[in-house]
Short mmCIF file of all heavy atoms in Angstrom, two decimals:
data_model
loop_
_atom_site.label_atom_id
_atom_site.label_comp_id
_atom_site.label_asym_id
_atom_site.label_seq_id
_atom_site.Cartn_x
_atom_site.Cartn_y
_atom_site.Cartn_z
N CYS N 24 -106.74 -77.44 -46.05
CA CYS N 24 -106.10 -77.57 -44.74
C CYS N 24 -105.90 -79.06 -44.44
O CYS N 24 -106.85 -79.84 -44.54
CB CYS N 24 -106.97 -76.92 -43.67
SG CYS N 24 -106.32 -77.06 -41.99
N LYS N 25 -104.68 -79.43 -44.08
CA LYS N 25 -104.37 -80.83 -43.81
C LYS N 25 -104.68 -81.16 -42.35
O LYS N 25 -104.31 -80.43 -41.44
CB LYS N 25 -102.90 -81.12 -44.10
CG LYS N 25 -102.51 -82.59 -43.87
CD LYS N 25 -101.05 -82.85 -44.21
CE LYS N 25 -100.13 -82.24 -43.18
NZ LYS N 25 -98.72 -82.64 -43.41
N VAL N 26 -105.39 -82.27 -42.15
CA VAL N 26 -105.66 -82.76 -40.80
C VAL N 26 -105.31 -84.24 -40.75
O VAL N 26 -105.35 -84.93 -41.76
CB VAL N 26 -107.14 -82.56 -40.39
CG1 VAL N 26 -107.52 -81.10 -40.39
CG2 VAL N 26 -108.07 -83.35 -41.29
N ASN N 27 -104.95 -84.68 -39.57
CA ASN N 27 -104.77 -86.11 -39.34
C ASN N 27 -106.10 -86.67 -38.89
O ASN N 27 -106.73 -86.15 -37.97
CB ASN N 27 -103.70 -86.36 -38.29
CG ASN N 27 -103.36 -87.84 -38.14
OD1 ASN N 27 -104.20 -88.62 -37.69
ND2 ASN N 27 -102.16 -88.22 -38.51
N PHE N 28 -106.56 -87.73 -39.52
CA PHE N 28 -107.92 -88.21 -39.33
C PHE N 28 -108.24 -88.48 -37.86
O PHE N 28 -109.34 -88.20 -37.40
CB PHE N 28 -108.16 -89.47 -40.16
CG PHE N 28 -109.59 -89.92 -40.16
CD1 PHE N 28 -110.54 -89.27 -40.92
CD2 PHE N 28 -110.00 -90.98 -39.37
CE1 PHE N 28 -111.87 -89.67 -40.90
CE2 PHE N 28 -111.32 -91.40 -39.35
CZ PHE N 28 -112.26 -90.74 -40.12
N ASN N 29 -107.31 -89.04 -37.11
CA ASN N 29 -107.57 -89.41 -35.72
C ASN N 29 -107.03 -88.39 -34.72
O ASN N 29 -106.99 -88.65 -33.53
CB ASN N 29 -106.96 -90.78 -35.42
CG ASN N 29 -107.79 -91.91 -36.03
OD1 ASN N 29 -108.95 -92.09 -35.69
ND2 ASN N 29 -107.19 -92.66 -36.95
N GLU N 30 -106.65 -87.22 -35.21
CA GLU N 30 -106.12 -86.19 -34.33
C GLU N 30 -107.27 -85.44 -33.65
O GLU N 30 -108.25 -85.06 -34.29
CB GLU N 30 -105.28 -85.22 -35.15
CG GLU N 30 -104.65 -84.10 -34.35
CD GLU N 30 -103.90 -83.14 -35.27
OE1 GLU N 30 -104.55 -82.56 -36.17
OE2 GLU N 30 -102.68 -83.01 -35.13
N THR N 31 -107.17 -85.23 -32.34
CA THR N 31 -108.20 -84.50 -31.61
C THR N 31 -107.80 -83.04 -31.45
O THR N 31 -106.64 -82.67 -31.61
CB THR N 31 -108.42 -85.12 -30.22
OG1 THR N 31 -107.18 -85.10 -29.51
CG2 THR N 31 -108.93 -86.54 -30.34
N ASN N 32 -108.80 -82.21 -31.13
CA ASN N 32 -108.58 -80.77 -30.91
C ASN N 32 -107.89 -80.11 -32.10
O ASN N 32 -107.04 -79.23 -31.93
CB ASN N 32 -107.76 -80.54 -29.63
CG ASN N 32 -108.45 -81.08 -28.40
OD1 ASN N 32 -109.66 -80.93 -28.25
ND2 ASN N 32 -107.70 -81.73 -27.54
N ARG N 33 -108.24 -80.54 -33.29
CA ARG N 33 -107.61 -79.96 -34.47
C ARG N 33 -108.16 -78.55 -34.73
O ARG N 33 -109.25 -78.20 -34.29
CB ARG N 33 -107.83 -80.85 -35.68
CG ARG N 33 -109.29 -81.14 -36.00
CD ARG N 33 -109.39 -81.91 -37.31
NE ARG N 33 -108.78 -83.22 -37.20
CZ ARG N 33 -109.46 -84.35 -37.12
NH1 ARG N 33 -110.78 -84.32 -37.10
NH2 ARG N 33 -108.85 -85.51 -37.06
N GLN N 34 -107.39 -77.76 -35.46
CA GLN N 34 -107.73 -76.36 -35.67
C GLN N 34 -108.67 -76.15 -36.85
O GLN N 34 -109.25 -75.08 -36.98
CB GLN N 34 -106.44 -75.55 -35.89
CG GLN N 34 -105.51 -75.57 -34.69
CD GLN N 34 -106.18 -75.00 -33.45
OE1 GLN N 34 -106.76 -73.93 -33.48
NE2 GLN N 34 -106.09 -75.74 -32.34
N CYS N 35 -108.79 -77.13 -37.73
CA CYS N 35 -109.67 -76.94 -38.88
C CYS N 35 -110.44 -78.22 -39.14
O CYS N 35 -110.04 -79.31 -38.73
CB CYS N 35 -108.88 -76.52 -40.12
SG CYS N 35 -107.56 -77.65 -40.60
N SER N 36 -111.56 -78.07 -39.83
CA SER N 36 -112.40 -79.23 -40.11
C SER N 36 -113.22 -78.96 -41.36
O SER N 36 -113.33 -77.82 -41.83
CB SER N 36 -113.33 -79.51 -38.93
OG SER N 36 -114.34 -78.51 -38.86
N GLY N 37 -113.82 -80.00 -41.87
CA GLY N 37 -114.67 -79.89 -43.05
C GLY N 37 -114.82 -81.27 -43.67
O GLY N 37 -114.33 -82.27 -43.13
N GLU N 46 -102.98 -91.18 -42.72
CA GLU N 46 -104.26 -90.65 -42.23
C GLU N 46 -104.48 -89.20 -42.64
O GLU N 46 -105.32 -88.52 -42.07
CB GLU N 46 -104.31 -90.75 -40.70
CG GLU N 46 -104.14 -92.16 -40.16
CD GLU N 46 -105.40 -93.00 -40.36
OE1 GLU N 46 -106.36 -92.81 -39.61
OE2 GLU N 46 -105.40 -93.84 -41.28
N GLN N 47 -103.75 -88.72 -43.63
CA GLN N 47 -103.86 -87.32 -44.03
C GLN N 47 -105.14 -87.08 -44.84
O GLN N 47 -105.41 -87.77 -45.81
CB GLN N 47 -102.65 -86.90 -44.85
CG GLN N 47 -101.34 -86.89 -44.06
CD GLN N 47 -100.16 -86.53 -44.92
OE1 GLN N 47 -100.31 -86.24 -46.11
NE2 GLN N 47 -98.97 -86.55 -44.33
N VAL N 48 -105.89 -86.08 -44.40
CA VAL N 48 -107.11 -85.68 -45.09
C VAL N 48 -107.05 -84.17 -45.28
O VAL N 48 -106.68 -83.43 -44.35
CB VAL N 48 -108.37 -86.06 -44.28
CG1 VAL N 48 -109.63 -85.65 -45.02
CG2 VAL N 48 -108.39 -87.56 -44.00
N VAL N 50 -109.13 -80.72 -46.06
CA VAL N 50 -110.50 -80.21 -45.95
C VAL N 50 -110.51 -78.71 -46.23
O VAL N 50 -109.48 -78.04 -46.18
CB VAL N 50 -111.07 -80.48 -44.54
CG1 VAL N 50 -111.07 -81.96 -44.22
CG2 VAL N 50 -110.31 -79.69 -43.47
N PRO N 52 -111.52 -75.49 -44.56
CA PRO N 52 -111.87 -75.09 -43.20
C PRO N 52 -112.80 -73.87 -43.12
O PRO N 52 -113.24 -73.51 -42.04
CB PRO N 52 -110.51 -74.75 -42.59
CG PRO N 52 -109.71 -74.24 -43.75
CD PRO N 52 -110.17 -75.03 -44.95
N PRO N 74 -116.71 -90.17 -42.82
CA PRO N 74 -115.45 -89.51 -42.44
C PRO N 74 -115.65 -88.07 -41.98
O PRO N 74 -114.97 -87.61 -41.06
CB PRO N 74 -114.62 -89.58 -43.72
CG PRO N 74 -115.16 -90.75 -44.48
CD PRO N 74 -116.63 -90.74 -44.18
N SER N 75 -116.59 -87.36 -42.61
CA SER N 75 -116.83 -85.96 -42.22
C SER N 75 -117.29 -85.86 -40.77
O SER N 75 -116.84 -84.97 -40.03
CB SER N 75 -117.89 -85.34 -43.14
OG SER N 75 -117.45 -85.26 -44.46
N LEU N 76 -118.19 -86.74 -40.36
CA LEU N 76 -118.69 -86.68 -38.98
C LEU N 76 -117.55 -86.93 -37.99
O LEU N 76 -117.51 -86.30 -36.92
CB LEU N 76 -119.81 -87.71 -38.78
CG LEU N 76 -121.05 -87.55 -39.67
CD1 LEU N 76 -122.15 -88.50 -39.21
CD2 LEU N 76 -121.55 -86.12 -39.70
N GLN N 77 -116.65 -87.83 -38.33
CA GLN N 77 -115.49 -88.07 -37.46
C GLN N 77 -114.62 -86.82 -37.36
O GLN N 77 -114.18 -86.41 -36.28
CB GLN N 77 -114.66 -89.23 -38.03
CG GLN N 77 -115.37 -90.57 -38.07
CD GLN N 77 -115.01 -91.47 -36.91
OE1 GLN N 77 -114.08 -91.20 -36.15
NE2 GLN N 77 -115.75 -92.55 -36.75
N ILE N 78 -114.37 -86.19 -38.50
CA ILE N 78 -113.51 -84.99 -38.53
C ILE N 78 -114.16 -83.85 -37.74
O ILE N 78 -113.51 -83.16 -36.95
CB ILE N 78 -113.25 -84.57 -39.99
CG1 ILE N 78 -112.39 -85.63 -40.69
CG2 ILE N 78 -112.57 -83.21 -40.05
CD1 ILE N 78 -112.28 -85.45 -42.19
N LEU N 79 -115.46 -83.64 -37.94
CA LEU N 79 -116.17 -82.56 -37.23
C LEU N 79 -116.17 -82.81 -35.73
O LEU N 79 -115.98 -81.88 -34.94
CB LEU N 79 -117.61 -82.45 -37.75
CG LEU N 79 -117.78 -82.07 -39.23
CD1 LEU N 79 -119.25 -82.14 -39.63
CD2 LEU N 79 -117.23 -80.67 -39.49
N ALA N 80 -116.39 -84.06 -35.33
CA ALA N 80 -116.42 -84.37 -33.90
C ALA N 80 -115.06 -84.14 -33.26
O ALA N 80 -114.96 -83.60 -32.15
CB ALA N 80 -116.87 -85.82 -33.70
N HIS N 81 -113.99 -84.54 -33.95
CA HIS N 81 -112.65 -84.34 -33.40
C HIS N 81 -112.30 -82.85 -33.30
O HIS N 81 -111.44 -82.47 -32.49
CB HIS N 81 -111.61 -85.06 -34.27
CG HIS N 81 -111.50 -86.53 -33.99
ND1 HIS N 81 -112.45 -87.43 -34.41
CD2 HIS N 81 -110.57 -87.26 -33.32
CE1 HIS N 81 -112.11 -88.65 -34.03
NE2 HIS N 81 -110.97 -88.57 -33.36
N ALA N 82 -112.94 -82.02 -34.10
CA ALA N 82 -112.70 -80.58 -34.04
C ALA N 82 -113.62 -79.88 -33.05
O ALA N 82 -113.52 -78.67 -32.86
CB ALA N 82 -112.88 -79.96 -35.43
N GLY N 83 -114.53 -80.63 -32.42
CA GLY N 83 -115.43 -80.04 -31.43
C GLY N 83 -116.53 -79.20 -32.04
O GLY N 83 -117.02 -78.25 -31.41
N GLU N 84 -116.96 -79.54 -33.26
CA GLU N 84 -118.04 -78.80 -33.91
C GLU N 84 -119.35 -79.60 -33.84
O GLU N 84 -119.34 -80.82 -33.74
CB GLU N 84 -117.69 -78.51 -35.37
CG GLU N 84 -116.48 -77.61 -35.53
CD GLU N 84 -116.24 -77.20 -36.98
OE1 GLU N 84 -117.08 -77.57 -37.84
OE2 GLU N 84 -115.23 -76.53 -37.24
N MET N 102 -117.85 -93.08 -30.75
CA MET N 102 -116.84 -92.06 -31.00
C MET N 102 -117.30 -90.69 -30.50
O MET N 102 -116.53 -89.93 -29.90
CB MET N 102 -116.54 -92.00 -32.50
CG MET N 102 -115.55 -90.93 -32.94
SD MET N 102 -116.30 -89.30 -33.28
CE MET N 102 -117.44 -89.70 -34.59
N MET N 106 -115.58 -88.19 -27.73
CA MET N 106 -115.17 -86.82 -28.06
C MET N 106 -115.93 -85.77 -27.26
O MET N 106 -115.68 -84.58 -27.38
CB MET N 106 -115.37 -86.55 -29.55
CG MET N 106 -114.47 -87.35 -30.48
SD MET N 106 -112.73 -86.91 -30.28
CE MET N 106 -112.14 -88.30 -29.31
N ARG N 321 -119.39 -73.89 -34.27
CA ARG N 321 -119.89 -73.98 -35.64
C ARG N 321 -120.86 -75.15 -35.77
O ARG N 321 -120.66 -76.23 -35.20
CB ARG N 321 -118.75 -74.16 -36.63
CG ARG N 321 -119.25 -74.28 -38.07
CD ARG N 321 -118.28 -73.77 -39.10
NE ARG N 321 -117.01 -74.47 -39.09
CZ ARG N 321 -115.97 -74.11 -39.85
NH1 ARG N 321 -116.07 -73.07 -40.66
NH2 ARG N 321 -114.84 -74.78 -39.79
N TYR N 443 -109.70 -96.14 -42.66
CA TYR N 443 -109.03 -95.37 -41.62
C TYR N 443 -108.84 -96.23 -40.38
O TYR N 443 -109.68 -97.08 -40.05
CB TYR N 443 -109.86 -94.13 -41.25
CG TYR N 443 -110.00 -93.13 -42.37
CD1 TYR N 443 -111.15 -93.11 -43.16
CD2 TYR N 443 -109.00 -92.21 -42.64
CE1 TYR N 443 -111.30 -92.19 -44.18
CE2 TYR N 443 -109.14 -91.28 -43.67
CZ TYR N 443 -110.29 -91.28 -44.43
OH TYR N 443 -110.43 -90.37 -45.45
#
Side-chain angles (χ1 to χ4, degrees):
C24 178
K25 182 178 72 173
V26 299
N27 187 293
F28 188 77
N29 285 298
E30 181 183 60
T31 58
N32 299 318
R33 57 174 64 106
Q34 298 301 311
C35 57
S36 72
E46 301 285 284
Q47 294 177 3
V48 180
V50 302
S75 296
L76 300 189
Q77 297 261 349
I78 293 169
L79 296 174
H81 279 75
E84 296 187 4
M102 177 273 300
M106 293 295 103
R321 179 151 59 186
Y443 295 99

